[in-house]
Amino acid sequence: MGRILHQARYEQLVFWRNRSGVFFTFVFPVMLLVLLGLALGRGDGGPERLEFVATGVIAMGVASVAFQALAIAVAYHRDMGILKTLVATPLSPGGLVAAKVLSVGIVTLLEVAVLVVVAVVVLGIALPAQLPALLAAVVVGIGSMAALGMAVATRIPSGEAAPALTNAIYLPLVFISGVFFPIDGLPRAIEAVGTALPLHHLVELVRASYLGGTPALGWGMHHAILVAWTVAGIAVAVGGFRWEPRYASGRDA
Amino acid sequence: MDDAQHPTEAAPDPLLAVEGLAASRGSVRAVRDVSLTVEAGQVHALLGPNGAGKTTTLDVVLGFCAADAGTVRVLGHDPATATGRRAIRREIGMVPQEGGHYPYLSVRETLEMHRGLRDRPRPLGEMLELAGLAHRAGRRVRSLSGGERRRLDLAVALAGYPRLLVLDEPTTGFDPAAREAMWEVIRGLAADGRGVLLTTHYLEEAQQLSGSVTVVAAGATVASGSSDGIARRLGLRSRIVLELPPDAPRLPPDLGPDVEADLEVAGDGHRLEALAADPAPLLAVLAAWSRSVGHPLDGLEVRPPSLEDSYRVLTATKDGER
Ligand SMILES: Nc1ncnc2c1ncn2[C@@H]1O[C@H](COP(=O)(O)OP(=O)(O)OP(=O)(O)O)[C@@H](O)[C@H]1O
Ligand SMILES: [Mg+2]
């Protein structure tokens, strides 16, 4: 445990010093929220529309950091031989993953805090109605997004391919998960896909807890679906993780 | 004297024992039959042409690559099991062929990070000193030169007090001074009772550092032992050269039947060149001649077959099989 906390501190340093990474995964959702707020502020739909989008972007911010930033970082660090160097120390493979997930979790909590502050201060939305429920949703969201990030990282062939591949998942996911508009307006098949994937359930939980109310399928059901995705992500990640660049030795180190 | 006190004590287990190892990279059989041992206090060199299977062998030792066949014991543990790997990685230091460190951390931060992962961390100053990086402690890793990065790899490998060091071409990219400094560090580690397994393409380096070497070609051990022993088994001969000054008495054209060497006397009887499996008989004859004529053997040179000579022979025969 001591080693994991120690390593997580350095993972923090590494994250914040990589400026372009910070911009694309941390700053970008904040910018998007501000721009959408400005665009929607004078449009139709009134305050409800603004609240809908802001809560959607908060859930999106969780995916941006815990899924996308994590998957890209893991793929890059593997390519650079950094994972191998760290795994060859007494920090076990599980310890390294735990440190990375812990670090990304901290960044994600910060991301959510910044988005909430921007929503309240810049967009003039009320404070979250049910803060404990919002926190619970974010924590469970971090777990599922990080597990899926690790799972996807096992399939990313190289560091260079990482941003393109994660974006190819993340961007469509955002559009079919109800971040910007309700998904019941989408074609049936696409709505079904969106409902099956985890981000939609995170969006529902964040929206309901922030705005007050109960999510469509009830708290327990959305949480259960996210936990199921977490378990699936961990299973894929553990089964196929590579520590070394290139080598397809299929070994779980 | 120690032997007298413990006359019956068995030799300690080697730090590393690899026996009949086979291993694959994807579908490529990279290692077919490699055996080697590293004892405490020993520097063992693993030599072989590009693609011979050296890195793959080290990856099996470190638990990064599965063995298809053979036995591997590292510090008494099996790297094929998770518990074995955990135990091994507490006590091993590694310099991979291509090391990797976070580019956004400074040298000092990188070393502090690795120190914090070790059971018994080495003082930071000592790590910087050993790797010759004291003047670069504040630099970001991304702005280090190639050789400086390689030094960082070594410093990281020494973050604990590893009982076994596994170094894959550790001096690649080093300037001559850095290389000799590294040799000193490695000698010091061995003198301290640690075992070192290193690969290198500098045969001079292997000869300087290693009491024992293993030569692999096309995935199989083709020779192992001391540099001299390997040469002897290959039938390589020592080269004896005697260069006499012009005022010295002339060597007789025939030194008699006892010399057991291919020799040639030239330069008016002032230069002798010979190849001998065992130089002793020829040297005895020359010594007797020197005494009888009353002239010293000042210009006498005996050069045992070098590791490079053996390596050429070993890898040339094996190359054709690939
Ligand atoms: N990821 C990989 N996929 C397929 N084949 C590989 C892979 N890595 C190595 N090989 C092959 O395995 C064999 C042994 O490679 P290895 O890296 O162990 O050689 P080496 O002795 O370390 O060579 P070098 O001196 O060039 O470092 C080579 O034929 C190489 O092409
Ligand atoms: Mg190699």
Side-chain angles (χ1 to χ4, degrees):
Chain A
M1 193 62 201
R3 287 197 178 94
I4 294 172
L5 291 177
H6 170 86
Q7 187 59 32
R9 271 184 45 214
Y10 286 91
E11 298 292 335
Q12 279 289 299
L13 269 185
V14 167
F15 177 84
W16 293 109
R17 284 190 187 163
N18 173 10
R19 300 256 174 76
S20 58
V22 169
F23 180 79
F24 281 109
T25 58
F26 191 90
V27 178
F28 187 73
V30 179
M31 259 175 50
L32 191 69
L33 182 58
V34 172
L35 292 176
L36 281 171
L38 295 177
L40 295 172
R42 278 172 296 168
D44 303 333
E48 288 83 37
R49 181 96 192 90
L50 209 53
E51 286 171 347
F52 185 94
V53 168
T55 48
V57 172
I58 289 170
M60 182 188 118
V62 174
S64 177
V65 178
F67 169 76
Q68 199 176 25
L70 179 66
I72 293 175
V74 165
Y76 263 108
H77 297 160
R78 176 172 53 216
D79 240 26
M80 296 164 88
I82 294 168
L83 297 189
K84 184 178 180 180
T85 303
L86 283 169
V87 161
T89 70
L91 177 71
S92 60
L96 176 58
V97 172
K100 281 190 174 291
V101 170
L102 179 60
S103 170
V104 124
I106 292 167
V107 176
T108 312
L109 287 175
L110 256 168
E111 169 85 2
V112 169
V114 171
L115 287 171
V116 169
V117 167
V118 167
V120 173
V121 175
V122 181
L123 275 58
I125 294 170
L127 282 166
Q130 308 170 56
L131 198 53
L134 177 60
L135 250 175
V138 168
V139 169
V140 172
I142 290 172
S144 60
M145 289 298 144
L148 290 171
M150 294 302 296
V152 166
T154 66
R155 299 293 182 272
I156 299 176
S158 69
E160 278 108 77
L165 279 179
T166 54
N167 261 317
I169 297 170
Y170 168 76
L171 287 179
L173 187 61
V174 164
F175 281 101
I176 63 172
S177 297
V179 168
F180 302 116
F181 44 81
I183 59 171
D184 51 18
L186 290 168
R188 271 289 143 75
I190 296 180
E191 184 194 350
V193 173
T195 316
L197 294 173
L199 184 57
H200 170 68
H201 302 280
L202 179 58
V203 170
E204 287 292 313
L205 286 172
V206 168
R207 193 164 281 145
S209 57
Y210 194 112
L211 301 178
T214 316
L217 305 179
W219 300 102
M221 191 59 187
H222 289 294
H223 273 284
I225 293 171
L226 287 179
V227 169
W229 273 103
T230 309
V231 172
I234 291 172
V236 171
V238 168
F241 207 79
R242 287 178 298 126
W243 303 97
E244 290 186 274
R246 301 189 304 269
Y247 301 146
S249 60
R251 178 53 171 279
D252 60 342
Chain B
M1 281 141 280
D2 258 12
D3 287 350
Q5 276 172 347
H6 313 283
T8 55
E9 195 170 276
D13 282 339
L15 294 181
L16 171 65
V18 175
E19 185 63 49
L21 175 70
S24 305
R25 293 289 203 192
S27 57
V28 179
R29 201 19 108 75
V31 171
R32 293 183 295 122
D33 181 16
V34 167
S35 301
L36 61 91
T37 56
V38 181
E39 315 270 353
Q42 192 184 45
V43 180
H44 189 96
L46 179 59
L47 308 173
N50 292 137
K54 302 181 296 296
T55 298
T56 305
T57 300
L58 300 191
D59 275 346
V60 173
V61 168
L62 294 162
F64 284 110
C65 177
D68 298 338
T71 57
V72 181
R73 300 294 290 179
V74 189
L75 303 165
H77 305 284
D78 179 0
T81 67
T83 40
R85 285 195 289 277
R86 209 168 306 132
I88 289 165
R89 289 166 181 174
R90 295 184 100 93
E91 299 198 279
I92 208 164
M94 155 189 95
V95 169
Q97 182 156 6
E98 283 171 56
H101 307 286
Y102 288 125
Y104 296 105
L105 297 184
S106 70
V107 167
R108 184 181 289 112
E109 287 162 346
T110 304
L111 296 181
E112 288 291 8
M113 181 177 89
H114 278 278
R115 291 183 71 240
L117 300 177
R118 293 285 165 182
D119 296 324
R120 193 158 67 93
R122 196 182 288 269
L124 179 74
E126 199 180 315
M127 292 167 73
L128 289 167
E129 195 61 40
L130 283 172
L133 277 174
H135 61 307
R136 292 284 183 260
R139 275 269 190 103
R140 293 276 166 95
V141 169
R142 61 190 298 191
S143 67
L144 294 180
S145 77
E148 287 166 350
R149 242 171 251 209
R150 208 63 186 136
R151 297 182 195 199
L152 181 60
D153 291 336
L154 176 70
V156 163
L158 295 174
Y161 289 88
R163 279 168 67 203
L164 178 66
L165 278 136
V166 175
L167 313 175
D168 200 352
E169 300 186 28
T171 61
T172 301
F174 274 17
D175 62 52
R179 172 161 295 133
E180 285 194 14
M182 170 79 123
W183 291 355
E184 266 325 298
V185 171
I186 291 174
R187 284 195 194 102
L189 289 164
D192 194 28
R194 283 140 220 296
V196 180
L197 174 62
L198 89 153
T199 76
T200 179
H201 290 296
Y202 300 98
L203 297 169
E204 149 87 2
E205 180 165 285
Q207 190 141 24
Q208 285 280 334
L209 286 175
S210 307
S212 62
V213 305
T214 295
V215 182
V216 292
T221 296
V222 290
S224 62
S226 69
S227 165
D228 291 349
I230 291 174
R232 215 174 311 118
R233 263 171 279 140
L234 288 172
L236 298 185
R237 296 183 294 177
S238 296
R239 191 182 155 79
I240 302 107
V241 178
L242 175 60
E243 198 98 45
L244 292 167
D247 61 332
R250 288 177 189 182
L251 284 163
D254 184 1
L255 288 171
D258 299 334
V259 296
E260 291 171 35
D262 285 342
L263 65 84
E264 190 187 349
V265 177
D268 232 6
H270 284 138
R271 181 183 164 81
L272 171 143
E273 265 195 64
L275 287 171
D278 178 6
L282 172 59
L283 295 177
V285 168
L286 288 173
W289 173 81
S290 158
R291 238 175 289 120
S292 72
V293 299
H295 196 279
L297 294 175
D298 281 344
L300 180 68
E301 226 180 89
V302 181
R303 193 173 72 83
S306 70
L307 186 53
E308 184 146 4
D309 298 334
S310 302
Y311 182 86
R312 287 241 173 77
V313 173
L314 287 165
T315 54
T317 44
K318 212 65 191 180
D319 259 354
E321 287 182 20
R322 277 193 289 172

